[in-house]
Amino acid sequence: MSNTNRPLWAPWRIEYIRAEKENECFLCRMLEEDTDRDNLILFRSKTCAVVMNRFPYTSGHLMVCPQRHIADFSELTQEEDLEMCELTRRAIAALRNAMQPEGFNIGTNLGSAAGAGLKDHLHRHIVPRWVGDTNFMAVIGDRHVVPESLTTTYDILLEKF
């Protein structure tokens, strides 16, 4: 199978899938607090933010989201739309500088049918990728090899913002 046709396996995410879900929006809760490091918020602009995914597919998995609780692109103001694009560019640049990925998966899951774990607060995933990054440990060992802690990755990426 060629590298471009390999599935992105993430069995360690079952912890997130099976976990009891918060009744409130976790992004709104985090954005209302002033503990950015604890909440893994790397950067805030006027209307949007860059947040590390607490249950990443790979190291450096980021999310860009509006600070307002909205569910769809049609609800974005022009300013929010532009800031989401600008923060996506900044996040890619920060990841390239800090982690030298060979590619990226960038996307948004709109609605439960599309796989959105948080369907009511719009967010864009930015997942750095490396050739061969899906290894045997995650597939047959039900173990995910993360090369560094989330807080270490946070500190490295924070310098890039």
Side-chain angles (χ1 to χ4, degrees):
M1 183 183 297
S2 75
N3 286 335
T4 58
N5 293 329
R6 288 191 178 151
L8 179 61
W9 295 99
W12 59 92
R13 286 182 51 85
I14 198 69
E15 176 186 339
Y16 168 75
I17 293 166
R18 290 185 179 152
E20 186 175 327
K21 303 300 183 264
E22 296 182 39
N23 289 330
E24 63 182 341
C25 172
F26 70 85
L27 287 175
C28 287
R29 177 188 50 75
M30 290 170 24
L31 291 166
E32 288 172 4
E33 297 174 356
D34 62 357
T35 54
D36 285 0
R37 188 170 196 282
D38 290 341
N39 287 318
L40 303 174
I41 298 172
L42 287 164
F43 186 81
R44 294 173 187 251
S45 65
K46 183 177 176 186
T47 67
C48 297
V50 179
V51 180
M52 290 180 62
N53 191 317
R54 199 167 292 281
F55 298 95
Y57 286 112
T58 64
S59 292
H61 180 169
L62 305 180
M63 298 182 297
V64 176
C65 64
Q67 292 186 38
R68 247 179 359 115
H69 186 81
I70 57 175
D72 196 84
F73 283 99
S74 63
E75 300 175 64
L76 287 170
T77 65
Q78 185 174 7
E79 184 178 23
E80 290 167 331
D81 194 21
L82 291 172
E83 284 194 3
M84 279 193 76
C85 287
E86 176 58 29
L87 291 185
T88 299
R89 283 192 292 275
R90 287 184 72 171
I92 291 167
L95 288 164
R96 278 192 175 129
N97 188 279
M99 305 177 88
Q100 296 81 44
E102 297 170 295
F104 293 91
N105 291 119
I106 299 172
T108 303
N109 302 319
L110 293 176
S112 298
L118 176 62
K119 64 180 174 140
D120 296 327
H121 196 132
L122 182 67
H123 57 284
R124 176 179 295 145
H125 292 271
I126 303 166
V127 182
R129 299 297 307 274
W130 296 264
V131 173
D133 64 5
T134 303
N135 64 41
F136 73 95
M137 290 297 288
V139 177
I140 65 171
D142 195 24
R143 297 289 181 261
H144 181 214
V145 179
V146 179
E148 63 190 5
S149 72
L150 286 174
T151 54
T152 300
T153 303
Y154 176 90
D155 292 338
I156 291 168
L157 289 173
L158 184 62
E159 292 177 17
K160 307 305 178 189
F161 280 92

